[in-house]
Structures are given as C-alpha cells and as structure tokens.
Amino acid sequence: MWHFIRPVLIRTNCYTLHNGHQLKAFDRTFMFRTFKTGTGKPKQGLSKIKIALIAAAAGITTGTVYSFFKTNQQKSALLNPVQGNTVTLLDELPNVKISKQVRYPTDSSGLKIILFQYTTCPFCCKVRAFLDYYGISYDLVEVDSVFRQQLKWTDYKKVPVVLVKIGDKYIQLNDSSMIISALTSHLNDKEVSLEEVSNYYPSMSYVDDDGKIRNEILNRYYLMFQRSIASESKNESLNQERKWRRWADEVLVHMLSPNVYRTTEEALQAFKWFSEIGEWDKNFNAVEELFVVYIGALAMWMIGKRLKKRHRLKDDVRLSLYEETNKWLKEVKKKGNQFHGGKNPDLADLAVFGVLNSIEGCNAFKDLLSNTSIDKWYSAMKEQISQQAGTPLLVHR
C-alpha cells in the first residue's frame, strides 16, 4: 500500500455572537495529512532508473510543498490575537495645544472628546461628519503631518485618534470606523460604559503580502447593541450599512490620492488648500508650514503614482473616481429616498460624505461635480450635517 503526504488548507471560522449579530473572523492553517492509495505490495523488479525517478519526483514534490507552506506562512494574512487589554487608558491628558473647540449647545451625549486629526484626512473627515451630524461637542488637535509631534505621547502614529474622558482618566480610541462604531454603540445604551464597548473591538496582528506585521481592529463596522434588533428589515439595513462603510474605506478612499495629486501642479494646489482650511499658519511655525506644503506635495505626487498602480486605476484616474462614485449613487437610488439611510442619513452616508469632503477644495472634486450627479446628494448631506440633524440618543432605534 502506497502512502503520500500533501498539505491540506483548513479554514477555521471563529465566531463571536453578540445579541443577534454574528461576527466572524477567519484563520488559515496548513496541516499535513497522510493518504493511502492502492492495495497490496508494489510490483517487484522496478529498475534502478525508475526508483531514481520516483525518488527525484518525491524530493521535488516535498520541496515544493515545503516552499509553498513557508511562502504562505510569510505572505498570507494570518490572524493572531494580540495579547493583553486592547483598550488604552491614560492617567492624564497629553501636553498638546488645542487647535479649535467645537461646541453644540444641544449636546446631550455627556462625552468630552479630543480629536487628533489632519483637517483633510478622509478618515478624520468621517469622524468629524459623525460628531457634527449628531451634535457632539469636541476639541481638535491639528497634527503636523510630517513631524507628528502632537502624537509623541502614543505609539500609534496614525490619525484620527480620539481621547474621551472617563472619570479622571482618558480612553484612547484608534481607527475612524472603530471610533464611530464604539461611540454609536455607547450612545444607544449609555448603561454600558464606553470602556466596556471598546473591548468588543479586539486588535489582531497579521503578516501582509510584503511580510510586514500589521494590526487590524476586528468588528470595527459592527454596532454592539445590548438588545436584539427587532426586525429582519433592520438587520438587513445594518448589513447594508456595514457593506458601504467598508466600501468607503477600502475602495472609495483609494480613488483620492491618485486624483488629487495627479500632477505636481494639482498636488501643490491641494496642499495650499489644506494649509488654508487647516489654518496651518496658526498651528505651525512658518518653516514647518512651508516644509509640509512643498515637500508634502512632492511626496504625495510620487505616492499617488504608486497608488494608481497598486489599486489598478484606469490610465485616466478621473474615470475610476467617476465610476466608483456612480456605484454609490446607484445604491442610493435603489433605496428610493434621498439618502442611503432613507429619509435620514445613516453611517454609510456619513462615511462616504466624509471621504469626499476631504477633497472638496481640490480640482478633482470640481471635476467630480461636473461629470457625475453627486452634487444633489452631497449638498443634502452637507445641509443635514450643518444643522446637526441627528439625535445622539436615537441613532438606530
């Protein structure tokens, strides 16, 4: 009886159930199994040449299997839990300059929030759109995108970062989608502390295709309700909301840089607008401002070229931007109302608006308005947000 060994890909589904929501993360593991084929003894009298060929084939197969296994170990997105508490609590507020205070007299959230941001970062714009729509007051800290000294107190060097005061401490929330989901979940049931809610979004480490270790926040598009969603239609609505929130992060946002920094002239125009709207002359010294504008524009022009290739955009990158925007408009039209959320915006509307709002003063956005019908939806969203039309305690009931 012959035996042979081959690798088998085992896909393990790890489920987390939370009041009617099934949250799922996938792991991949290679196992070696021994299989049997044929019966009886091998025929006698195999020539030495045949034996040598069989041995060579076995060696090549084993080497190929080993190489395949090792390559997938290095390049596959293998998820591994990060040990320890995923929530960071600070004993005191970092020594940073508050760039701006945004206050809403009708704010009933009870939250004291500090948002660390770049004014025109699409992910930061998403968080601001959420806070403004629901009329939640907050302080802003404008981060220098080159030197990032305003983030020297944390190992997490991306924006947005949100600090929320809890008692005499501050809880740190990272990742725009996780921030929005955690705050929404807490506002829907204030009896559950923000610290407890934040623990529903564990961080996982993985190795990307370049062999770099990265962190991923699981469940970041899920709202963690403490009570079950009553109807199937509401569940389906939440599923669609999650789908398009993810699309905003993983598709639409990748249209921006290649379009905004399409040429060196457009890149410089964009950075000058960033400087104006971000009030860099007030928040940074003159040398820092000039450095960020001119060096930043040049760097992003080069990065935009790489991102165009990485995300397989069309030669005319504007066409890719128009195509993806039209996908969103088609989805909104299917709903039969003004917004994806119906008569009122949902978190998907706010996410897409935030991404597009980040380039509002750029040539790419002007071309987008001229070549698609996004203006009607965008203007309606802008009006809703300016009026703080959302009610924090009635977000998804």
Side-chain angles (χ1 to χ4, degrees):
M1 182 175 295
W2 293 85
H3 294 71
F4 66 94
I5 298 175
R6 67 181 176 90
V8 179
L9 177 62
I10 306 297
R11 190 177 189 182
T12 305
N13 296 340
C14 305
Y15 294 92
T16 301
L17 294 177
H18 187 80
N19 290 322
H21 289 287
Q22 181 171 276
L23 313 182
K24 186 163 54 174
F26 298 109
D27 197 1
R28 297 195 290 182
T29 306
F30 281 95
M31 297 181 64
F32 287 96
R33 290 183 178 174
T34 303
F35 293 83
K36 300 178 180 180
T37 182
T39 57
K41 298 180 180 180
K43 293 181 180 180
Q44 300 295 323
L46 284 175
S47 68
K48 292 183 179 180
I49 294 177
K50 288 183 178 181
I51 293 173
L53 289 173
I54 292 171
I60 293 171
T61 301
T62 302
T64 300
V65 168
Y66 178 78
S67 176
F68 176 76
F69 174 65
K70 294 299 288 184
T71 298
N72 276 275
Q73 269 191 322
Q74 293 174 355
K75 292 190 175 181
S76 295
L78 301 178
L79 301 178
N80 302 287
V82 174
Q83 301 297 320
N85 195 343
T86 59
V87 175
T88 300
L89 285 175
L90 305 180
D91 292 327
E92 58 184 14
L93 187 66
N95 183 22
V96 293
K97 174 187 174 184
I98 300 298
S99 307
K100 185 179 181 180
Q101 293 183 326
V102 180
R103 294 290 180 265
Y104 295 112
T106 58
D107 181 10
S108 60
S109 68
L111 299 173
K112 294 183 178 180
I113 294 175
I114 302 175
L115 170 61
F116 291 76
Q117 65 153 23
Y118 308 146
T119 298
T120 53
C121 161
F123 302 107
C124 300
C125 289
K126 281 169 49 186
V127 175
R128 288 204 316 274
F130 168 81
L131 296 173
D132 292 338
Y133 177 68
Y134 290 113
I136 302 172
S137 302
Y138 55 97
D139 290 343
L140 283 173
V141 174
E142 190 68 21
V143 176
D144 178 341
S145 60
V146 175
F147 300 104
R148 292 180 291 187
Q149 295 183 9
Q150 294 80 6
L151 293 176
K152 63 183 180 181
W153 53 272
T154 176
D155 292 333
Y156 188 83
K157 300 303 180 184
K158 298 180 181 179
V159 291
V161 173
V162 159
L163 295 182
V164 184
K165 190 173 184 180
I166 298 180
D168 59 350
K169 296 183 182 295
Y170 292 85
I171 186 171
Q172 178 181 342
L173 305 179
N174 307 325
D175 184 275
S176 61
S177 293
M178 182 274 191
I179 291 168
I180 291 169
S181 293
L183 292 177
T184 303
S185 300
H186 172 66
L187 290 172
N188 271 271
D189 190 353
K190 289 188 176 181
E191 292 181 3
V192 181
S193 71
L194 183 58
E195 182 178 359
E196 181 180 345
V197 168
S198 300
N199 277 313
Y200 297 149
Y201 302 93
S203 178
M204 306 288 280
S205 64
Y206 69 97
V207 180
D208 68 9
D209 290 338
D210 298 324
K212 297 179 181 178
I213 298 177
R214 299 188 182 277
N215 290 323
E216 180 86 2
I217 297 178
L218 296 184
N219 308 334
R220 66 183 184 272
Y221 298 103
Y222 281 82
L223 304 181
M224 301 302 181
F225 293 104
Q226 296 304 305
R227 45 190 168 273
S228 298
I229 303 301
S231 65
E232 288 187 13
S233 62
K234 176 58 73 174
N235 263 320
E236 178 56 26
S237 174
L238 290 171
N239 288 336
Q240 288 298 310
E241 182 183 67
R242 281 194 293 271
K243 172 185 174 181
W244 288 96
R245 289 177 67 194
R246 183 185 295 275
W247 173 84
D249 285 355
E250 297 181 356
V251 179
L252 182 61
V253 77
H254 295 309
M255 302 297 112
L256 302 189
S257 291
N259 275 279
V260 172
Y261 313 117
R262 185 175 59 167
T263 65
T264 52
E265 292 80 8
E266 285 182 299
L268 186 57
Q269 180 269 330
F271 266 82
K272 287 182 177 179
W273 177 68
F274 297 162
S275 175
E276 179 184 346
I277 195 172
E279 298 181 333
W280 290 356
D281 59 330
K282 296 179 181 178
N283 295 311
F284 312 131
N285 64 49
V287 174
E288 285 179 325
E289 182 186 2
L290 287 173
F291 188 87
V292 172
V293 168
Y294 286 93
I295 301 301
L298 179 61
M300 290 309 300
W301 171 71
M302 293 187 290
I303 290 172
K305 301 298 182 187
R306 293 209 307 267
L307 293 176
K308 172 188 174 181
K309 183 177 180 180
R310 178 185 299 175
H311 299 292
R312 300 179 181 179
L313 273 60
K314 298 180 185 298
D315 288 338
D316 182 352
V317 291
R318 288 289 197 270
L319 296 179
S320 294
L321 177 61
Y322 304 155
E323 183 178 293
E324 293 302 330
T325 301
N326 285 329
K327 287 181 182 178
W328 168 250
L329 292 174
K330 183 179 179 180
E331 178 66 17
V332 173
K333 187 177 180 180
K334 281 169 51 179
K335 301 293 182 178
N337 281 292
Q338 193 168 20
F339 305 107
H340 183 270
K343 294 181 179 180
N344 301 303
D346 63 7
L347 296 183
D349 285 297
L350 292 170
V352 175
F353 175 85
V355 170
L356 294 179
N357 180 246
S358 69
I359 64 168
E360 187 176 305
C362 301
N363 292 337
F365 186 78
K366 297 175 185 176
D367 290 345
L368 183 65
L369 294 181
S370 299
N371 291 276
T372 71
S373 56
I374 192 69
D375 185 51
K376 183 179 179 180
W377 171 87
Y378 187 85
S379 296
M381 281 295 302
K382 198 166 186 177
E383 183 179 357
Q384 289 279 306
I385 291 171
S386 67
Q387 294 176 354
Q388 299 91 54
T391 304
L393 299 181
L394 299 173
V395 177
H396 271 278
R397 290 183 184 176

Short mmCIF file of all heavy atoms in Angstrom, two decimals, residues 9 15 19 22 43 55 108 122 135 138 150 186 188 191 209-210 218 228 268 277 281 287 300 314 318 360 384:
data_model
loop_
_atom_site.label_atom_id
_atom_site.label_comp_id
_atom_site.label_asym_id
_atom_site.label_seq_id
_atom_site.Cartn_x
_atom_site.Cartn_y
_atom_site.Cartn_z
N LEU A 9 -5.41 22.69 3.27
CA LEU A 9 -5.75 24.00 3.82
C LEU A 9 -7.00 23.88 4.65
O LEU A 9 -8.07 23.55 4.15
CB LEU A 9 -5.96 25.01 2.69
CG LEU A 9 -6.39 26.42 3.11
CD1 LEU A 9 -5.30 27.04 3.98
CD2 LEU A 9 -6.65 27.29 1.89
N TYR A 15 -16.25 32.46 15.40
CA TYR A 15 -17.45 33.27 15.50
C TYR A 15 -17.54 33.94 16.86
O TYR A 15 -17.19 33.36 17.88
CB TYR A 15 -18.71 32.41 15.32
CG TYR A 15 -18.85 31.82 13.94
CD1 TYR A 15 -18.35 30.57 13.64
CD2 TYR A 15 -19.48 32.55 12.93
CE1 TYR A 15 -18.49 30.03 12.37
CE2 TYR A 15 -19.63 32.02 11.66
CZ TYR A 15 -19.13 30.76 11.39
OH TYR A 15 -19.26 30.24 10.14
N ASN A 19 -25.75 39.35 20.77
CA ASN A 19 -27.14 39.80 20.69
C ASN A 19 -27.65 39.87 19.26
O ASN A 19 -28.04 40.92 18.76
CB ASN A 19 -27.27 41.18 21.34
CG ASN A 19 -27.09 41.10 22.84
OD1 ASN A 19 -27.54 40.15 23.48
ND2 ASN A 19 -26.43 42.09 23.39
N GLN A 22 -23.76 38.03 14.32
CA GLN A 22 -22.73 37.01 14.23
C GLN A 22 -21.49 37.63 13.63
O GLN A 22 -21.47 38.00 12.46
CB GLN A 22 -23.24 35.87 13.35
CG GLN A 22 -22.23 34.73 13.21
CD GLN A 22 -22.83 33.53 12.52
OE1 GLN A 22 -23.46 32.71 13.17
NE2 GLN A 22 -22.65 33.41 11.24
N LYS A 43 4.88 -3.81 -7.27
CA LYS A 43 5.43 -4.86 -8.11
C LYS A 43 6.93 -4.95 -7.93
O LYS A 43 7.61 -3.97 -7.75
CB LYS A 43 5.10 -4.56 -9.56
CG LYS A 43 3.60 -4.65 -9.85
CD LYS A 43 3.33 -4.38 -11.31
CE LYS A 43 1.84 -4.47 -11.61
NZ LYS A 43 1.55 -4.20 -13.04
N ALA A 55 12.18 8.74 -6.68
CA ALA A 55 12.82 9.45 -5.56
C ALA A 55 12.99 10.93 -5.89
O ALA A 55 12.75 11.80 -5.05
CB ALA A 55 14.17 8.81 -5.24
N SER A 108 -26.24 66.35 24.21
CA SER A 108 -26.69 65.58 25.38
C SER A 108 -25.93 64.28 25.53
O SER A 108 -26.34 63.39 26.26
CB SER A 108 -28.19 65.29 25.27
OG SER A 108 -28.45 64.53 24.09
N PRO A 122 -9.22 61.94 4.95
CA PRO A 122 -10.58 61.42 4.76
C PRO A 122 -11.12 60.68 5.97
O PRO A 122 -12.33 60.74 6.25
CB PRO A 122 -10.44 60.50 3.54
CG PRO A 122 -8.98 60.23 3.41
CD PRO A 122 -8.28 61.42 3.94
N GLY A 135 -24.33 66.35 16.62
CA GLY A 135 -24.23 67.49 17.53
C GLY A 135 -23.45 67.19 18.79
O GLY A 135 -23.81 67.65 19.88
N TYR A 138 -16.66 68.72 20.70
CA TYR A 138 -15.32 68.12 20.76
C TYR A 138 -14.26 69.20 20.62
O TYR A 138 -14.53 70.31 20.15
CB TYR A 138 -15.13 67.07 19.65
CG TYR A 138 -15.39 67.57 18.24
CD1 TYR A 138 -14.36 67.99 17.42
CD2 TYR A 138 -16.69 67.62 17.73
CE1 TYR A 138 -14.60 68.44 16.12
CE2 TYR A 138 -16.95 68.06 16.44
CZ TYR A 138 -15.90 68.46 15.64
OH TYR A 138 -16.14 68.91 14.36
N GLN A 150 2.58 66.11 17.78
CA GLN A 150 1.38 66.09 18.62
C GLN A 150 0.98 64.66 19.00
O GLN A 150 0.10 64.47 19.84
CB GLN A 150 0.22 66.78 17.89
CG GLN A 150 0.41 68.26 17.65
CD GLN A 150 1.30 68.54 16.44
OE1 GLN A 150 1.70 67.64 15.70
NE2 GLN A 150 1.60 69.81 16.23
N HIS A 186 -22.27 53.04 22.26
CA HIS A 186 -22.39 53.60 23.61
C HIS A 186 -23.58 54.55 23.71
O HIS A 186 -24.34 54.52 24.68
CB HIS A 186 -21.11 54.33 23.99
CG HIS A 186 -21.19 55.11 25.27
ND1 HIS A 186 -21.36 54.51 26.50
CD2 HIS A 186 -21.15 56.45 25.50
CE1 HIS A 186 -21.41 55.44 27.44
NE2 HIS A 186 -21.29 56.63 26.86
N ASN A 188 -26.28 54.49 22.11
CA ASN A 188 -27.54 53.76 22.06
C ASN A 188 -27.88 53.10 23.38
O ASN A 188 -29.03 52.71 23.60
CB ASN A 188 -27.50 52.71 20.95
CG ASN A 188 -27.95 53.28 19.63
OD1 ASN A 188 -29.13 53.25 19.31
ND2 ASN A 188 -27.02 53.83 18.87
N GLU A 191 -25.93 52.80 29.57
CA GLU A 191 -25.68 51.98 30.76
C GLU A 191 -24.44 51.12 30.58
O GLU A 191 -23.85 50.65 31.56
CB GLU A 191 -26.90 51.10 31.05
CG GLU A 191 -28.13 51.88 31.49
CD GLU A 191 -29.31 50.98 31.79
OE1 GLU A 191 -29.13 49.74 31.71
OE2 GLU A 191 -30.39 51.49 32.09
N ASP A 209 1.19 41.01 2.57
CA ASP A 209 1.85 40.42 1.41
C ASP A 209 3.31 40.85 1.26
O ASP A 209 4.08 40.21 0.55
CB ASP A 209 1.09 40.80 0.13
CG ASP A 209 -0.26 40.12 0.05
OD1 ASP A 209 -0.43 39.08 0.72
OD2 ASP A 209 -1.15 40.62 -0.68
N ASP A 210 3.67 41.95 1.94
CA ASP A 210 5.06 42.41 1.90
C ASP A 210 5.89 41.87 3.06
O ASP A 210 7.04 42.25 3.24
CB ASP A 210 5.10 43.94 1.91
CG ASP A 210 4.42 44.55 0.69
OD1 ASP A 210 4.54 43.94 -0.39
OD2 ASP A 210 3.77 45.60 0.83
N LEU A 218 -10.76 44.17 14.64
CA LEU A 218 -11.89 43.37 14.21
C LEU A 218 -13.21 44.02 14.62
O LEU A 218 -13.26 44.81 15.56
CB LEU A 218 -11.80 41.97 14.84
CG LEU A 218 -10.61 41.11 14.41
CD1 LEU A 218 -10.72 39.74 15.02
CD2 LEU A 218 -10.52 41.01 12.89
N SER A 228 -31.39 42.89 21.26
CA SER A 228 -31.50 42.35 19.92
C SER A 228 -32.21 43.34 18.99
O SER A 228 -33.07 44.10 19.41
CB SER A 228 -32.28 41.03 19.94
OG SER A 228 -31.59 40.06 20.71
N LEU A 268 0.35 70.60 -5.56
CA LEU A 268 0.66 71.84 -4.86
C LEU A 268 -0.61 72.63 -4.57
O LEU A 268 -0.76 73.19 -3.47
CB LEU A 268 1.63 72.68 -5.69
CG LEU A 268 2.16 73.95 -5.03
CD1 LEU A 268 2.86 73.62 -3.71
CD2 LEU A 268 3.11 74.69 -5.98
N ILE A 277 -7.39 75.65 4.84
CA ILE A 277 -8.53 75.16 5.61
C ILE A 277 -8.10 74.63 6.98
O ILE A 277 -8.86 74.66 7.94
CB ILE A 277 -9.29 74.08 4.82
CG1 ILE A 277 -10.66 73.85 5.45
CG2 ILE A 277 -8.51 72.78 4.74
CD1 ILE A 277 -11.57 72.96 4.63
N ASP A 281 -1.01 78.21 9.31
CA ASP A 281 -0.24 79.38 9.71
C ASP A 281 -0.42 79.69 11.19
O ASP A 281 0.45 80.29 11.83
CB ASP A 281 -0.65 80.59 8.87
CG ASP A 281 -2.13 80.91 9.00
OD1 ASP A 281 -2.94 79.98 9.23
OD2 ASP A 281 -2.49 82.10 8.87
N VAL A 287 8.31 77.85 9.03
CA VAL A 287 9.19 76.86 8.40
C VAL A 287 8.45 75.52 8.26
O VAL A 287 8.50 74.87 7.20
CB VAL A 287 10.48 76.68 9.22
CG1 VAL A 287 11.32 75.54 8.65
CG2 VAL A 287 11.28 77.98 9.24
N MET A 300 3.52 63.37 -2.05
CA MET A 300 2.23 62.78 -2.36
C MET A 300 2.02 62.61 -3.86
O MET A 300 1.30 61.71 -4.29
CB MET A 300 1.11 63.62 -1.76
CG MET A 300 1.04 63.56 -0.24
SD MET A 300 1.03 61.87 0.43
CE MET A 300 -0.45 61.19 -0.34
N LYS A 314 -7.64 53.25 -13.73
CA LYS A 314 -7.53 53.47 -15.16
C LYS A 314 -6.42 54.47 -15.45
O LYS A 314 -6.01 55.23 -14.57
CB LYS A 314 -8.86 53.98 -15.71
CG LYS A 314 -10.02 53.01 -15.53
CD LYS A 314 -11.30 53.59 -16.09
CE LYS A 314 -12.50 52.69 -15.79
NZ LYS A 314 -12.37 51.36 -16.42
N ARG A 318 -9.34 59.92 -13.32
CA ARG A 318 -10.64 60.54 -13.10
C ARG A 318 -11.76 59.54 -13.40
O ARG A 318 -12.78 59.51 -12.72
CB ARG A 318 -10.80 61.78 -13.98
CG ARG A 318 -9.97 62.98 -13.57
CD ARG A 318 -10.50 63.63 -12.28
NE ARG A 318 -9.96 64.97 -12.12
CZ ARG A 318 -8.84 65.26 -11.49
NH1 ARG A 318 -8.12 64.28 -10.95
NH2 ARG A 318 -8.43 66.51 -11.39
N GLU A 360 -12.85 68.49 -1.04
CA GLU A 360 -13.81 69.45 -1.56
C GLU A 360 -13.16 70.65 -2.24
O GLU A 360 -13.70 71.21 -3.20
CB GLU A 360 -14.74 69.94 -0.43
CG GLU A 360 -15.87 70.81 -0.91
CD GLU A 360 -16.83 71.21 0.20
OE1 GLU A 360 -17.35 70.30 0.87
OE2 GLU A 360 -17.03 72.42 0.39
N GLN A 384 -27.65 68.60 6.12
CA GLN A 384 -28.02 67.81 7.29
C GLN A 384 -26.97 67.92 8.39
O GLN A 384 -27.29 68.07 9.56
CB GLN A 384 -28.19 66.33 6.89
CG GLN A 384 -29.41 66.03 6.05
CD GLN A 384 -30.66 65.91 6.90
OE1 GLN A 384 -30.71 65.14 7.85
NE2 GLN A 384 -31.67 66.68 6.54
#
